[in-house]
Every structure is written in structure tokens, then in C-alpha cells.
Amino acid sequence: MKRSRHWAGIGENTFVAGISLLYWVHRLLGRRLFRACLLPIVACYWLACAPARAASLQYLQRLQAHSGALGRSPGRLDTFRHLLRFADTMLDKLLATAGHYPMDKVAIDGADEIIAGLRQRRGVLIVTAHIGCLELCRALADHSPDVTVNVLVHTRHARRFNDLLDRLNPQQSVRLIEVTDVNAATAVLLQEKIAAGEVVAIAGDRVPVRGERTVSAPFLGVDAPFPCGPYLLAHLLRCPLYLMACVRGGPGYRLSFLPLAEALRLPRSGRETEMARHAARYADELGRLLAASPYDWFNFFPFWDQK
């Protein structure tokens, strides 16, 4: 059987120059004309990129089979709609980063305890997913000044993205930290961030670039690999663990925080089983969020078939 490529080997199609161009097209033309320009671009990509279409269809079919979220069997046009939602959300990510997204269109659920802890310099670990517009987590700063969010990313372009974020908004409080796996040096750095009362965010839906630290958990009714990193970090950092998601809702987005563990402890014996249990809860909550907003998950690779 042919082995599926790791997600990191598929290649990213978003470059810093392209992101900058996307942002300025909107600034010059406005949202309506921006979307008109976006349609042929997404259509060309959709026609040319069969793997993205296949991955989208696999996800939508499994979501429909598991929850009935779409109300019908998904087809090729649903994959186009999925990619179009991703492209449109990319603009919101930039607007949020630059401080130009209207924050009155962002509803926040479950953040009160996090904000109270940050005000007392108690940092938290947040496990996220490639779902919706997570850059709107800067809404936390509106409730608690001087909040810093450190986002762990699996990309060699973290420094270039940080430079872009600074140009878009010199006062922005989101920093990208490049990591390829969670090791002792990573843990020491992040412990300093937590001790300073900052937020550390890590994706829970991308397996490590190196190493085999994954566990299997049911996602949309089918077992899939999930990284151990978020749960190992929560254990090492001795801090609360939350799930954060930001999906479409009402006139804009709904930013939700769900407590997963107040003080996660992994036993020496049965550690893999315990991490799998936490990953299963994460996957279950992720499926619940996607059932309410099916087109907001942006992993365009064969998620269940990663090796």
C-alpha cells in the first residue's frame, strides 16, 4: 500500500509576499470586490489541486456520516465552497492581526477564568486546531491589557511571519515560535512564558514533524493520529489546559474556550493510554464544533492516512 506523505512534506502554498498582497487588495478594493477577485483564483487552485479536493471531500464525507452536519451527501462543489471559505478566512486572519477586524463582531465564550488568571500572572496552555480564525484570540487583549500569546508553529518561516505581523501591527501581541518537536529546551522556554503570565498555544491536529510521539483517537467516527505534544507540555508546565476555537457565528465569529484539565498529570505507568484519553476528548470536542460550522476546518491533506 502506498504510504501517505506527512503533512509537512506537502508544502505550504501561502507565502509572505502573497499574504501581503492579499491584505492590500482588500484595503484598496474592499470586501465585496475582493471576493469577486477571489473566485477565479480559488477556482483555478481547486481545478489544479486534486489532493486538496480529495482531502476536503474525505473530511466532509466523514463529518456528514458522523453528525449529519451537511444534511446531504457532500459533492465536488462542497469542496470548492470549503476552499473558498479558507481563502476568505485568510483575509480575516490578516485583518485580525493588523487590528482592523471589527471586534464587536466577535463573541467570546468561556474566557473569564483565563483572563482572571492572566491578570494574576498565571499563564495557560491552549490547544488549538486549524479551524476558523484563531488570530482573533487577540480579543483576549481587549479584556486583559498586555496579554502576550505565543503560538508554536511547524514552519521555517516563523521569523518572516513575525516581521510581517510587526509591519501590519507594531502593537500586536501574538508571537510565533518555530518548533519541530517538543523537547527539553522547548519546555524550558515555554515554562518561562507561563511563569511570566503569558499564553502558549499549540495545535492539536498536526502530528510532529519529527519523531513518533502520537496517539490514536476516534475523530468523526474513524481513528486518526494526534500529537502527544499538547498533553506532554501541560504535564511539564503544570498549568491549566484549554481548548480554543474560533468559528463562524452570527455576524462574525465565536471565540470559545473549553477547559480540558486544570492540572494535567501523566502517570509513569499507562502514560500513552492517558494521553490517548485526552486526545480523544479533544477530538470529540473538535467534532462537535465542526458539526456546527462544517466548512471551518482547514487541513487539506489526508488527515486520517498520515504516516
Side-chain angles (χ1 to χ4, degrees):
M1 177 182 294
K2 184 178 179 180
R3 291 167 64 91
S4 298
R5 287 190 296 168
H6 190 286
W7 65 265
I10 294 175
E12 295 289 344
N13 291 285
T14 302
F15 298 94
V16 172
I19 293 175
S20 299
L21 177 62
L22 181 71
Y23 174 76
W24 287 109
V25 165
H26 170 264
R27 290 296 298 267
L28 293 172
L29 301 179
R31 188 105 193 188
R32 183 172 297 180
L33 290 177
F34 165 81
R35 282 176 168 164
C37 295
L38 195 62
L39 278 170
I41 296 173
V42 174
C44 288
Y45 179 79
W46 178 77
L47 288 170
C49 193
R53 293 199 309 269
S56 173
L57 186 59
Q58 181 192 55
Y59 154 67
L60 292 171
Q61 287 174 336
R62 289 186 171 171
L63 179 64
Q64 171 60 21
H66 182 70
S67 67
L70 298 175
R72 53 181 168 71
S73 179
R76 287 168 58 87
L77 288 180
D78 291 290
T79 67
F80 177 75
R81 181 179 178 183
H82 191 192
L83 284 167
L84 190 62
R85 171 67 66 86
F86 171 65
D88 193 56
T89 302
M90 281 298 299
L91 173 62
D92 290 333
K93 289 173 178 286
L94 290 176
L95 293 176
T97 299
H100 295 308
Y101 190 87
M103 301 309 273
D104 59 340
K105 293 185 178 180
V106 182
I108 303 178
D109 294 328
D112 291 345
E113 290 186 7
I114 293 178
I115 293 169
L118 293 177
R119 287 174 176 167
Q120 298 179 34
R121 300 183 66 80
R122 294 200 308 266
V124 298
L125 177 65
I126 288 175
V127 57
T128 68
H130 291 76
I131 174 174
C133 187
L134 293 171
E135 284 72 11
L136 288 170
C137 66
R138 68 174 294 273
L140 284 175
D142 293 343
H143 294 77
S144 182
D146 302 322
V147 167
T148 298
V149 180
N150 304 279
V151 181
L152 306 189
V153 295
H154 299 293
T155 174
R156 290 168 295 181
H157 303 300
R159 184 174 299 174
R160 294 179 65 198
F161 273 92
N162 275 330
D163 291 342
L164 172 63
L165 299 182
D166 285 337
R167 289 197 302 272
L168 291 177
N169 183 5
Q171 283 75 49
Q172 61 87 24
S173 56
V174 177
R175 309 307 302 165
L176 306 184
I177 301 176
E178 178 195 343
V179 295
T180 52
D181 56 13
V182 176
N183 53 35
T186 305
V188 170
L189 171 64
L190 299 182
Q191 182 63 65
E192 295 174 355
K193 303 293 185 184
I194 293 295
E198 298 181 5
V199 176
V200 173
I202 181 172
D205 60 345
R206 292 277 176 97
V207 301
V209 175
R210 295 199 301 261
E212 301 295 331
R213 299 306 301 268
T214 63
V215 291
S216 180
F219 177 50
L220 303 183
V222 181
D223 283 351
F226 288 90
C228 296
Y231 317 109
L232 287 171
L233 275 180
H235 169 76
L236 293 171
L237 298 178
R238 298 292 196 268
C239 66
L241 177 67
Y242 284 80
L243 167 64
M244 180 181 75
C246 190
V247 297
R248 302 290 174 116
Y253 288 87
R254 181 167 294 276
L255 182 63
S256 301
F257 296 88
L258 177 73
L260 296 179
E262 178 60 30
L264 193 152
R265 299 291 182 267
L266 296 175
R268 290 182 179 272
S269 177
R271 176 166 292 191
E272 296 291 324
T273 300
E274 186 68 6
M275 287 191 292
R277 184 178 71 83
H278 286 290
R281 186 186 177 194
Y282 165 85
D284 184 64
E285 294 295 342
L286 185 58
R288 179 181 60 80
L289 289 163
L290 292 172
S293 193
Y295 297 101
D296 272 335
W297 195 52
F298 304 134
N299 277 321
F300 294 101
F301 59 89
F303 185 83
W304 286 263
D305 306 321
Q306 298 175 83
K307 301 294 183 180

